[in-house]
Amino acid sequence: MIRNVRNALTRRSVLMGGIVMAMGVASLGSASAQDAASRIVIGTTADVVNFNPLVGNSRSDTWVTNLMYPRLMQMTDKGSKDPYVATEWGYSEDGLTAWMQIRGDMTWNDGTPFTADDIVFTITAVTTEKIGVTAGLIPSFVSAKAVSPTRVEFTLSRPDSTFLTNIGFWMPIVPKHAFPEVGQVAAFANDKDWVSAGPFILKEVNAGQNYVLSAVDNYPLVEAGKASVGEVEFRVFPDVNAQALALRAGDLDLIANALPAPIARTLKDQPGITIAQAPSLGWSHVLYNMNDEVLAKLEVRQALAHAVDYEAIRAIAMQGLANTTNSSPISPVLSYWADPEAKEYAFDPELSKKILTDAGYTHGNGDGFFDGIEFSLLYEQSAADIANWAQIMKDGAAKAGIKINLTGLERNTYLARGREKDFDIYAGNWAVMEEPAAYLGLAYRTGGFINYASISDPDLEKLIDEAQAATTPEAVKGPVQAAARLISEKVYDNVLYYQTFQFAYNSDKWDGFVVQPSDLLSLVNPLSLASVKPKN
């Protein structure tokens, strides 16, 4: 049995004091009270790079540290947030003060109470030291104060209706008493003597092999008050094919990585194996490096956009488990925000040739390619879906006279090249893009934390500023949609599809997973692993 997280807990009401989200705290987990001394083995294809949850940026980093350092809210399948550690939150009438109320029954595993002071410490470190994605999401933050052990108030420089939900989901909370002073947090390795307020605590690390966590005694976010399994082991495999073989053989209980469609199909009818699905809150795309003098030309990016066979990518590489975003950086999954007028770029190699010819490019070397139009496409070689469609993209470009060379790299090198902007075309995906006003700034504002393409457009930034300063969804919607249209028209980001992720697990041995959206959360989220039970 798999349970879906829905938005049924959430009630929104507008009060005179500001926009208040009134949240009822509901039962959040398994009713089983057993303390099974069992171990669930989860496959991953990458090592943990950083045990500091504020710094770590890979999926393996997040999967492991999420089990120790709680987030204040949890995600629904439509991208909104439900109560978790936080029970209610809201803004003052002028929008310059935000507040949050948290549970009073949380403790760190060493017995220290989890309080508002930990939240103040965490957000102060994140913003002072500009740590990770969260720092880029909350430019309006000025200061925080714990007004009681269970209430924290935030001073903002301007109204920002995304502030609370951004910190609620994106900022894991770390223990003030176990981390160094602010100014040294980003450099803290956190590679031993862990302190946890999650359902598990890390006990054993064997780099390149496995990571083992044990259940803590107090985790009140599930009904039993403690995880139903005794241990969680993340085991490192070279690729998803090796994971699939191990699952068939009974040596693996769950594959954390989203499965490529062909592998999911081979596992679907295997006895004792169940395929679960989770909706994506992000998308797959290619970015064009605007620091390259050729790619900086709009005509070249337009030609590239018309040289992509989008339908073939979704039908062949993704086996139909993908849908168009209409070339928009706002997924139709986010139904409130999506622009109904958005249209996908047509696959038209002849139009690409005309665009390049009109721009002055010629064929001179007799190989059918335009002179001076040759690019390297960077992708992660262990991401099988992307590896499959990268070849389709290369073939489509060749029909348009554009030469693309494929460069597949192991994950950590690939991520580093992206951060360093060391690429021509970058193929990848964003796992969770659920607050458009926030993520547009991260991905497309000059100097944005994940602005890998080095985009710098004053008109775009004006729209992003307008969206982020608005205090109601109605006021945010217009500039958000206008910004998305501009991104599509200028081909700053060529969004190919959003997908339905598939995950495989041993259903003969395990029951009670809680599915959450995206390949980052999937079945490997704290609530799920604290709720799953071994079958007797």
Side-chain angles (χ1 to χ4, degrees), residues 331-389:
S331 169
V333 173
L334 305 177
S335 56
Y336 178 80
W337 302 108
D339 184 354
E341 303 301 319
K343 301 293 183 184
E344 184 170 75
Y345 276 92
F347 174 49
D348 190 341
E350 293 305 314
L351 178 56
S352 295
K353 290 178 181 179
K354 182 179 186 305
I355 291 171
L356 291 175
T357 300
D358 290 348
Y361 290 95
T362 60
H363 303 80
N365 51 18
D367 61 1
F369 294 111
F370 282 92
D371 296 338
I373 305 292
E374 179 176 350
F375 307 108
S376 173
L377 186 148
L378 191 72
Y379 69 96
E380 180 190 352
Q381 60 190 11
S382 65
D385 290 338
I386 295 179
N388 289 339
W389 60 251

Side-chain angles (χ1 to χ4, degrees), residues 210-473:
N210 67 344
Y211 302 81
V212 180
L213 300 97
S214 298
V216 302
D217 290 331
N218 177 44
Y219 188 64
L221 293 172
V222 290
E223 290 177 359
K226 182 177 180 179
S228 298
V229 297
E231 292 182 335
V232 173
E233 176 188 355
F234 287 89
R235 191 174 296 174
V236 182
F237 288 81
D239 53 47
V240 71
N241 293 295
Q243 290 177 324
L245 290 172
L247 184 65
R248 287 193 191 99
D251 297 326
L252 187 62
D253 298 314
L254 167 66
I255 297 176
N257 311 83
L259 297 172
I263 293 179
R265 191 170 56 247
T266 65
L267 292 173
K268 185 175 182 180
D269 297 323
Q270 293 291 315
I273 294 177
T274 292
I275 303 297
Q277 294 187 337
S280 169
L281 289 175
W283 64 78
S284 292
H285 62 155
V286 289
L287 292 169
Y288 307 112
N289 194 332
M290 298 293 288
N291 289 326
D292 182 282
E293 63 178 358
V294 179
L295 289 169
K297 298 177 180 178
L298 175 58
E299 297 89 348
V300 173
R301 301 195 304 277
Q302 289 174 330
L304 283 163
H306 284 295
V308 178
D309 192 340
Y310 303 95
E311 291 186 4
I313 285 173
R314 294 191 290 262
I316 299 171
M318 300 304 300
Q319 298 289 295
L321 289 166
N323 297 284
T324 181
T325 73
N326 299 310
S327 294
S328 173
I330 301 178
S331 169
V333 173
L334 305 177
S335 56
Y336 178 80
W337 302 108
D339 184 354
E341 303 301 319
K343 301 293 183 184
E344 184 170 75
Y345 276 92
F347 174 49
D348 190 341
E350 293 305 314
L351 178 56
S352 295
K353 290 178 181 179
K354 182 179 186 305
I355 291 171
L356 291 175
T357 300
D358 290 348
Y361 290 95
T362 60
H363 303 80
N365 51 18
D367 61 1
F369 294 111
F370 282 92
D371 296 338
I373 305 292
E374 179 176 350
F375 307 108
S376 173
L377 186 148
L378 191 72
Y379 69 96
E380 180 190 352
Q381 60 190 11
S382 65
D385 290 338
I386 295 179
N388 289 339
W389 60 251
Q391 184 62 52
I392 295 175
M393 184 167 285
K394 176 180 178 178
D395 295 342
K399 293 177 182 179
I402 301 171
K403 188 172 185 179
I404 289 181
N405 303 305
L406 302 182
T407 304
L409 300 172
E410 61 84 25
R411 180 169 180 78
N412 291 330
T413 304
Y414 159 80
L415 291 173
R417 290 274 296 271
R419 289 192 298 268
E420 294 162 5
K421 308 181 188 337
D422 182 14
F423 62 87
D424 297 334
I425 304 175
Y426 180 92
N429 56 64
W430 299 133
V432 180
M433 297 294 239
E434 87 297 354
E435 292 276 1
Y439 72 68
L440 291 175
L442 279 177
Y444 308 112
R445 186 195 296 280
T446 304
F449 183 73
I450 54 174
N451 184 359
Y452 292 175
S454 299
I455 298 160
S456 183
D457 184 329
D459 292 335
L460 177 57
E461 295 196 23
K462 183 178 179 180
L463 290 168
I464 294 171
D465 288 343
E466 183 180 345
Q468 292 185 343
T471 56
T472 67

Side-chain angles (χ1 to χ4, degrees), residues 65-81:
T65 60
N66 264 359
L67 299 182
M68 296 191 287
Y69 305 101
R71 297 173 192 252
L72 298 167
M73 303 175 192
Q74 64 179 348
M75 184 74 70
T76 73
D77 56 5
K78 295 298 183 183
S80 56
K81 280 70 170 195

Side-chain angles (χ1 to χ4, degrees), residues 48-294:
V48 175
V49 178
N50 202 312
F51 294 100
N52 184 331
L54 303 177
V55 177
N57 196 37
S58 77
R59 286 182 178 84
S60 292
D61 292 359
T62 302
W63 286 330
V64 170
T65 60
N66 264 359
L67 299 182
M68 296 191 287
Y69 305 101
R71 297 173 192 252
L72 298 167
M73 303 175 192
Q74 64 179 348
M75 184 74 70
T76 73
D77 56 5
K78 295 298 183 183
S80 56
K81 280 70 170 195
D82 270 359
Y84 200 49
V85 174
T87 58
E88 55 183 332
W89 51 88
Y91 297 90
S92 63
E93 188 172 6
D94 63 7
L96 297 179
T97 300
W99 59 269
M100 185 175 287
Q101 193 75 26
I102 65 171
R103 299 173 64 108
D105 57 355
M106 299 281 291
T107 60
W108 298 97
N109 73 293
D110 62 2
T112 304
F114 180 106
T115 71
D117 283 328
D118 293 309
I119 299 172
V120 172
F121 171 80
T122 301
I123 195 170
T124 302
V126 164
T127 53
T128 300
E129 301 181 35
K130 301 188 185 308
I131 305 173
V133 66
T134 308
L137 283 167
I138 52 173
S140 62
F141 173 78
V142 175
S143 63
K145 179 181 179 181
V147 296
S148 80
T150 59
R151 184 181 175 93
V152 58
E153 293 184 355
F154 309 91
T155 300
L156 307 182
S157 61
R158 59 172 173 79
D160 182 356
S161 61
T162 69
F163 173 79
L164 287 170
T165 49
N166 277 329
I167 65 167
F169 176 73
W170 288 104
M171 188 175 74
I173 307 303
V174 299
K176 176 181 179 181
H177 68 285
F179 268 55
E181 293 181 356
V182 172
Q184 305 171 53
V185 173
F188 183 50
N190 193 38
D191 55 1
K192 61 181 179 179
D193 300 327
W194 295 278
V195 177
S196 170
F200 299 94
I201 186 166
L202 194 57
K203 292 294 187 182
E204 183 179 343
V205 171
N206 299 292
Q209 299 179 50
N210 67 344
Y211 302 81
V212 180
L213 300 97
S214 298
V216 302
D217 290 331
N218 177 44
Y219 188 64
L221 293 172
V222 290
E223 290 177 359
K226 182 177 180 179
S228 298
V229 297
E231 292 182 335
V232 173
E233 176 188 355
F234 287 89
R235 191 174 296 174
V236 182
F237 288 81
D239 53 47
V240 71
N241 293 295
Q243 290 177 324
L245 290 172
L247 184 65
R248 287 193 191 99
D251 297 326
L252 187 62
D253 298 314
L254 167 66
I255 297 176
N257 311 83
L259 297 172
I263 293 179
R265 191 170 56 247
T266 65
L267 292 173
K268 185 175 182 180
D269 297 323
Q270 293 291 315
I273 294 177
T274 292
I275 303 297
Q277 294 187 337
S280 169
L281 289 175
W283 64 78
S284 292
H285 62 155
V286 289
L287 292 169
Y288 307 112
N289 194 332
M290 298 293 288
N291 289 326
D292 182 282
E293 63 178 358
V294 179

Side-chain angles (χ1 to χ4, degrees), residues 1-4 40 42 63 67 234 253-257 274-278 501-506 512-532:
M1 178 185 70
I2 298 176
R3 295 180 288 119
N4 281 81
I40 185 168
I42 302 171
W63 286 330
L67 299 182
F234 287 89
D253 298 314
L254 167 66
I255 297 176
N257 311 83
T274 292
I275 303 297
Q277 294 187 337
F501 295 115
Q502 300 188 99
F503 305 91
Y505 70 96
N506 187 325
F513 288 106
V514 178
V515 63
Q516 292 184 336
S518 85
D519 59 340
L520 184 65
L521 298 173
S522 62
L523 307 186
V524 189
N525 60 76
L527 184 58
S528 180
L529 296 182
S531 300
V532 69

